[in-house]
Each structure stands twice: as C-alpha cells, then as structure tokens.
Amino acid sequence: MSTDLPGEPDAPLRFRDDVTVELVKHSASDSDVLWAARVSTAGEQSLEELSKDPERSKGLLNYLMRDRHGSPFEHNSMTFFISAPIFVFREFMRHRAGWCLAGDTEVTLDSGSGDPRPLPIGELHRRWHHGPAAGGATEARDRQTLDSQVRCYDEDTLLAGRTPIVDVLESGVKPLLRITTAAGRTLRCSADHALLTPDGWRKAGELAAGDAVLAGDTTGRAAAALPDPIASVAGDGEEMTYDLSVAGPWHNFLAGGIIVHNSYNEESGRYRELQPVFYVPGQDRKLVQEGRPGKYVFVDGTPEQHKGVVAAMEESYTQSYAAYQEMLAAGVAREVARATLPVGLFSSMYATCNARSLMHFLGLRTQHELARVPSFPQREIEMVGEKMEAAWAELMPLTHAAFNANGRVAP
Ligand SMILES: Cc1cc2nc3c(=O)[nH]c(=O)nc-3n(C[C@H](O)[C@H](O)[C@H](O)COP(=O)(O)OP(=O)(O)OC[C@H]3O[C@@H](n4cnc5c(N)ncnc54)[C@H](O)[C@@H]3O)c2cc1C
C-alpha cells in the first residue's frame, strides 16, 4: 500500500506490514562443524571430514549440541540483508553476535583533512557512547573523533577510501588470538573475526604462520593494500571486545593496519536522506495484550481497533515525514532533521553472524513449541528471526535439526 505525501508528489509514503531478509553471502555447512570438532581427536585427519557425507555424523552433531560444546559451531559465516523498522534494529543490536577486536586495537580514523589518526577501539567506544568530555582541548579532540570516518578498502581494487562509522559496539568478553605479521603488525581478535587475505575473507582462527593478510597504509599516503605474511598466531587470553558498524558500500575497516570485516552495517541517517517507508501492523498481527507483566498473552484486536491503529500510524508518519522534508528544504542537516522521524521508519542493514550466535538469537527472538526455555519476543523481530532461520536451515539442515531436538538452546 502507498500514499502520496500532500504537496510532495515525488515522495510517496510506503506503508509495509512485512520485513525483508535475504541471505546475501555465506560459507556455512554441517561439515564445517564436524571438521572443527574432529580436530580434538583426529588432528590433521579431521580434514577428511570435508569430503565425507555429514549425514553419517549426525550423532556427533547432536552430542555437541546437547553437551553445549559451542565453538565448533562458530567456523562458518552468514551475511543477511535485513530491511525492518528501526524498533526491530534497536532490539537486534543488543546481540553482541558480531566479531570482536580487543580494546587496544587501533582503528585508523580519517576525517579527510590532515593525517589519519589511530585510536584504540575501546577509547573510540567511550567517546562514541559518552560523548565529548566537557571543556578545553579534550572536548575538541572528542568532537573531532565523532566527526571522523574510518579508513576502509575497495575489496575489488584494494584502493583506500573512507566510510562513516554508524555505531561502536561492545561485543562482550571473548577469548582472543594474537596475530603478528612479518612487517610487525599485531591484531588481537576473536577466532571468528574475518580478515581480508589475498584469497578473500578468512577467519582469524583458520590462519597460520605462512598465510598472508592484506594490510593497509595508516598514514596520509593511503596506498593500495598489500599482502603482509603472518609470522605467528597464538592464543591471547580473554577480555572485553568491540566492533564497528560502518556505512556501506564496503563492509570493512582498517584495524591494527589489517583489513577486517565488520558485523553490522546499517544505512546512515547522517549521510543519506531517509526514505519514507513505514511499518503498519498487518491484519494477522495480534494487537491486544491481556494479563499482567510477566504473565500475559496477545490476542487479536477487533477490525475497528486494527483500522484505528493503521489510521493513527499513517497520519503520524505523514506529519513527521513532512516535517523532515521541510527541515531538509530549509537547509537543516540530515542528522538534525531525522530526530523528528519515528521508530516505525524502515531502515536496512547487513548483519553477519555464525551459527552459534544465530542459535542464541533464535532462542531469544522466536517462540517455538520445541523451546525448552520459552521466550516472548516482539512479533516484528520474530518475523526477521523466522526468515533468518529458514535460510540457515537450508544451509545447515543437520545442525538445525539438532538445535530443535535439544530444546533450541544455543550450545
Ligand atoms: C523477550 C525479551 C525482552 C527483553 N527486554 C529488555 C528490556 O526490557 N530492556 C533491555 O535493556 N533489554 C531487554 N532485552 C534484551 C536482553 O536483555 C539482551 O540484551 C539481548 O537479548 C541480548 O542477549 P544476550 O545478552 O544474552 O546475548 P548476546 O549479546 O547475543 O550474546 C550471546 C551470549 O554470549 C555471552 N556474552 C556476550 N557478551 C557477554 C559479556 N559481556 N559478558 C558475559 N557473557 C557475554 C552470554 O552468554 C550471552 O548470552 C530483552 C530481550 C528479550 C529476548
């Protein structure tokens, strides 16, 4: 359904009652879990698992799931394009499902004027979320950080560019690897973090001495990225980790001088005009909550209630988008004008995860009769979760079956 904005024939408002989820990229199969698990007992022979029919090892998958041996489920990757209302993304971003860098990892900030500046990602997180410190040089420096972009690379030509930071995420306490290169670069990251190599994206945990990563220039020269051989890969304890969400089109940034992938990319309301696509509940969306907090159910609304909800939302969306357009027409910056837009506005993002983090997400964000620990998610994020689950189940049918058979508890 779509309605023209009064006086704005070029900007028709669209009202949607569904969400979009597309699997855009993946490297994920049941055998990825099996070889990762078999290395414990078979060492080098675990590589044979790659050519075997995973159907023969259903029992092992089930055992890993039941006894919550989780890490073999991390050696895979899925990137989803998701278009959904902003209130869904607010819930989605709470999941520290992303890949992770140690707090002392220097990211290369590049404001476009003057030399780029390295800043530890933990410090960037502090400035991003707590804002500029009050007063003097510190405040000016913090403001400069918040206006900066981060150095990224064209994955085809390997030429350097800049991209806006959309968010700085705390990803939880994670075990880390320390990768040291022949040229003296060091990166401390989780084993599942993807690094750009001359052979494409590879997980840190799959790399060994003798492999190479693509490394970038952290100075003002911004030369094209070049291979830097890995000298060593070693375990490096556990600590708080972080990740960046950057605006497209590239899904990477420079960390410790090495090109790394990021896990969330959301469209930026600072750098592009937001399109007038808004959420309204569909006919089958239950509208009424009955019961008390902690013990309630949702039931269908009456046709009148549904009509009233849709009419009220459409009116409010129309007014707020008109106000947004008026401010833009008056020369107000997009980042200021967007404050008038509601959380029912659609946004879009790429989200990259592995099967273990997806299972955790599904355990919390879907309702299912097989769930041993029931959850009560908001319907709209559940709609996203259901579509992600359908795509994942096709890629990893045995893992998906084991997840269901073991009460939908992430290992
Ligand atoms: C139905 C529902 C209602 C909710 N209501 C609210 C609400 O009212 N207010 C609100 O603020 N939030 C709310 N949330 C969000 C919720 O509190 C979590 O932030 C969100 O679900 C992410 O889950 P997580 O932290 O378990 O998992 P993830 O971030 O996805 O991490 C996966 C797992 O990794 C481990 N892990 C990750 N990071 C750390 C860490 N730093 N330290 C230790 N272990 C870690 C944990 O085992 C964790 O379960 C709600 C969530 C649901 C599903």
Side-chain angles (χ1 to χ4, degrees), residues 91-107:
E91 296 181 349
F92 206 119
M93 297 291 194
R94 294 299 304 278
H95 291 273
R96 297 154 289 188
W99 298 328
C100 317
L101 302 168
D104 59 4
T105 307
E106 288 186 337
V107 295

Side-chain angles (χ1 to χ4, degrees), residues 89-90 93-94 96 119-133 142-143 145-147 165-172 240-245 264 266 270:
F89 289 161
R90 281 211 56 189
M93 297 291 194
R94 294 299 304 278
R96 297 154 289 188
L119 189 73
I121 194 168
E123 172 61 13
L124 178 59
H125 179 269
R126 187 195 64 73
R127 293 187 198 176
W128 189 267
H129 291 281
H130 299 290
D142 286 4
R143 284 199 185 285
T145 299
L146 301 181
D147 287 341
I165 298 168
V166 175
D167 202 358
V168 187
L169 310 156
E170 201 177 71
S171 301
M240 181 55 77
T241 58
Y242 304 85
D243 192 18
L244 294 188
S245 169
Y264 290 123
E266 188 180 354
R270 296 181 70 196

Side-chain angles (χ1 to χ4, degrees), residues 94-96 171-173 240 360 364-365 375-377:
R94 294 299 304 278
H95 291 273
R96 297 154 289 188
S171 301
V173 176
M240 181 55 77
H360 185 78
L364 288 170
R365 301 299 184 179
S375 189
F376 302 94

Side-chain angles (χ1 to χ4, degrees), residues 1-15 274-278 318 321 325:
M1 156 179 34
S2 88
T3 311
D4 282 353
L5 192 64
E8 291 279 355
D10 293 341
L13 262 72
R14 278 184 62 213
F15 301 115
L274 294 165
Q275 296 306 296
V277 184
F278 295 95
T318 303
Y321 199 72
Q325 287 289 320

